[in-house]
Amino acid sequence: DTEVTQTPKHLVMGMTNKKSLKCEQHMGHRAMYWYKQKAKKPPELMFVYSYEKLSINESVPSRFSPECPNSSLLNLHLHALQPEDSALYLCASSRLLGEKLFFGSGTQLSVL
Amino acid sequence: DQQVKQNSPSLSVQEGRISILNCDYTNSMFDYFLWYKKYPAEGPTFLISISSIKDKNEDGRFTVFLNKSAKHLSLHIVPSQPGDSAVYFCAAKKTSGSRLTFGEGTQLTVNP
């Protein structure tokens, strides 16, 4: 199994909603990442977890809340988002921190 | 400050010919470079990488060249195939670090 699985693939939410994005990998990777990608722009790092502990927070607004319940799962909890938060949210994992990244297909988020 | 730049947003080549995608970087601390390929509605997929101790790395039809003095790298695809049509991202990092910095991508179209 060399996949990183993200659900849902598409999400539309209002600015008052609370939703969660989920990411799962079964490759035994100990580092997991959230990236945000706007159209025609490069992926931007949001959070990094290493051995289930938050290692990097790239000054992301608190309306985004990551969670790593175990070594296979990574969640991103969303609350009170703004329309400008609409983007493709990519999860990635690597065997260890800093190694080659394996990406999921992403969740396309639209905030109305 | 865009530390990794791909100055060509698009490139079109004929099937069977060579595709050359270029990337420049400004941060002299970067010493590990990667290329990712991205199809629509999918996450980026790792293609090939190169460490700064080398100036060339080859994998099948794909070769990456690194010119450290010019802070420039290029990806050569020979021969190009229609299935290579995708967005190609150049990325760079410090070997000891976990932050991967992406360029803005080049849309490659290979025409039959």
Side-chain angles (χ1 to χ4, degrees):
Chain A
D1 184 359
T2 57
E3 280 194 355
V4 176
T5 304
Q6 288 187 246
T7 55
K9 290 194 181 306
H10 302 274
L11 179 62
V12 179
M13 60 186 290
M15 290 189 283
T16 57
N17 291 158
K18 282 186 182 182
K19 297 286 185 183
S20 296
L21 309 185
K22 297 187 182 303
C23 175
E24 191 168 359
Q25 57 86 16
H26 296 289
M27 294 179 278
H29 289 179
R30 302 315 300 266
M32 296 186 79
Y33 310 72
W34 281 115
Y35 280 82
K36 172 181 175 180
Q37 186 178 20
K38 303 278 264 185
K40 299 192 187 300
K41 292 292 184 184
E44 294 178 359
L45 184 64
M46 300 175 71
F47 301 105
V48 181
Y49 275 82
S50 178
Y51 287 89
E52 296 102 71
K53 293 194 186 315
L54 185 63
S55 176
I56 295 174
N57 176 344
E58 293 286 80
S59 302
V60 179
S62 60
R63 58 186 184 269
F64 295 91
S65 175
E67 178 197 19
C68 190
N70 62 55
S71 60
S72 299
L73 293 174
L74 185 66
N75 299 320
L76 186 62
H77 303 296
L78 314 172
H79 174 55
L81 294 194
Q82 304 296 310
E84 59 264 28
D85 296 322
S86 298
L88 179 68
Y89 288 84
L90 291 163
C91 173
S93 70
S94 62
R95 191 179 66 96
L96 296 172
L97 195 62
E99 295 191 358
K100 182 175 71 180
L101 297 179
F102 291 77
F103 283 90
S105 297
T107 294
Q108 186 65 55
L109 175 68
S110 296
V111 182
L112 304 179
Chain B
D1 175 31
Q2 188 69 20
Q3 297 185 63
V4 178
K5 299 178 186 177
Q6 295 176 253
N7 291 317
S8 298
S10 63
L11 174 68
S12 183
V13 300
Q14 284 299 119
E15 181 178 6
R17 306 296 287 268
I18 185 171
S19 295
I20 301 177
L21 296 101
N22 293 304
C23 177
D24 297 292
Y25 61 98
T26 57
N27 189 338
S28 57
M29 300 296 289
F30 289 148
D31 58 6
Y32 193 71
F33 305 89
L34 307 91
W35 285 92
Y36 281 84
K37 177 170 75 173
K38 186 179 185 301
Y39 293 117
E42 293 184 14
T45 303
F46 170 76
L47 198 55
I48 193 168
S49 62
I50 188 166
S51 165
S52 61
I53 62 173
K54 295 179 140 185
D55 54 18
K56 176 182 173 181
N57 189 26
E58 194 171 349
D59 183 2
R61 296 185 298 116
F62 302 91
T63 303
V64 56
F65 295 92
L66 176 62
N67 182 332
K68 289 186 289 293
S69 61
K71 294 193 179 68
H72 176 84
L73 60 154
S74 61
L75 174 68
H76 293 210
I77 306 174
V78 182
S80 301
Q81 300 174 353
D84 296 329
S85 298
V87 176
Y88 288 78
F89 288 99
C90 170
K93 66 186 292 289
K94 303 173 200 176
T95 299
S96 59
S98 55
R99 286 180 176 82
L100 196 58
T101 301
F102 285 87
E104 299 208 346
T106 297
Q107 171 69 59
L108 173 67
T109 302
V110 180
N111 301 301

